[in-house]
Amino acid sequence: MNIIHRLTGVLIDFLYFRLFGLRFCGRENLPEHAPYILLANHRSMGDPFALGEVCRQGVVYFMAKEELFRNPIVRWYITKMHGFPVKRGKADLAAMRTALQVLKDGHVLGIFPEGTRHHDGKIGELETGISVLALKADVPVVPVYLGGAYRVGGKLRAAVGKPLDLDDLRQKRPDSETLNAVKERVSQALHALQAVASDEKNFQKKG
């Protein structure tokens, strides 16, 4: 963890916990040790920081859209925050290799499988690339739903689900039917967690 990551973490802790009221539920579902993949819905530019707070290991590597890396200052910062570029809407083999290497090196990988933000909190169509990665990596895949608002008193919420059971699909050919089945399981898990995140009783204790 570099100094930029540490300083950002201090600021994010204050903003998210003190001002935005971040609370967790289901955090006990996280694997005790990396590597594993965190899959979350995407509503805001603040989501990667929220997902980083969810992770006990303290460092999450992220795929970020390639366009962000065209600005040298933004590229420098994202790289310091362990982000790497991905081309959206196409098969990006370089990004896939980087993601697999991140997991091979024993880190946590954060991904927003919708590929774009949905500000209304609804879960959109998932990218097929996440299915390929989930099958190839053979590591725990943990769904997370992020709800609430990134504002003072916004009651930011993170509901963490149990790792998805993909063992049966990993034994099959990675054809379109298998890849769609992975996407369906991810989508179902995120929708179930959306209901959990909307029930304030699940967040009575900070976890």
Side-chain angles (χ1 to χ4, degrees):
M1 187 183 298
N2 58 66
I3 187 63
I4 299 301
H5 197 286
R6 288 181 183 276
L7 291 175
T8 298
V10 172
L11 176 61
I12 292 300
D13 283 349
F14 175 75
L15 286 175
Y16 282 45
F17 287 108
R18 299 291 184 180
L19 300 184
F20 301 162
L22 175 61
R23 297 291 183 271
F24 307 117
C25 72
R27 207 168 177 221
E28 66 276 5
N29 293 320
L30 292 172
E32 289 188 14
H33 305 288
Y36 57 88
I37 298 172
L38 289 175
L39 291 181
N41 62 304
H42 199 13
R43 304 172 303 127
S44 165
M45 291 289 285
D47 292 340
F49 301 111
L51 206 54
E53 294 293 342
V54 170
C55 173
R56 288 195 182 99
Q57 282 77 7
V59 176
V60 179
Y61 286 69
F62 286 98
M63 286 185 180
K65 61 181 182 180
E66 183 189 35
E67 293 86 348
L68 294 174
F69 289 80
R70 295 172 184 171
N71 182 301
I73 296 176
V74 175
R75 179 175 65 243
W76 174 83
Y77 180 73
I78 294 178
T79 302
K80 289 293 184 182
M81 295 300 294
H82 306 294
F84 59 94
V86 60
K87 298 175 182 177
R88 297 182 298 172
K90 61 179 69 176
D92 189 338
L93 297 181
M96 183 69 69
R97 285 193 295 268
T98 300
L100 290 171
Q101 188 62 51
V102 164
L103 295 167
K104 184 177 180 180
D105 291 342
H107 300 298
V108 178
L109 178 66
I111 299 178
F112 300 102
E114 296 162 285
T116 189
R117 296 191 299 275
H118 293 271
H119 301 287
D120 57 6
K122 294 182 180 179
I123 300 166
E125 179 69 23
L126 307 185
E127 296 283 344
T128 302
I130 181 53
S131 300
V132 177
L133 180 60
L135 296 177
K136 279 182 171 290
D138 197 16
V139 300
V141 177
V142 183
V144 180
Y145 185 86
L146 301 174
Y150 291 88
R151 57 177 172 78
V152 176
K155 293 185 178 180
L156 193 59
R157 300 294 182 252
V160 183
K162 294 181 179 180
L164 301 177
D165 184 2
L166 301 176
D167 289 345
D168 59 321
L169 298 178
R170 286 174 175 141
Q171 296 173 9
K172 296 182 178 181
R173 289 185 56 192
D175 54 21
S176 59
E177 182 178 353
T178 302
L179 297 179
N180 285 333
V182 175
K183 287 200 298 182
E184 181 61 26
R185 290 189 191 180
V186 173
S187 181
Q188 288 178 354
L190 290 176
H191 278 92
L193 289 172
Q194 184 177 24
V196 173
S198 66
D199 188 346
E200 196 60 26
K201 290 184 295 185
N202 295 317
F203 299 90
Q204 291 178 351
K205 292 184 178 180
K206 181 179 175 181

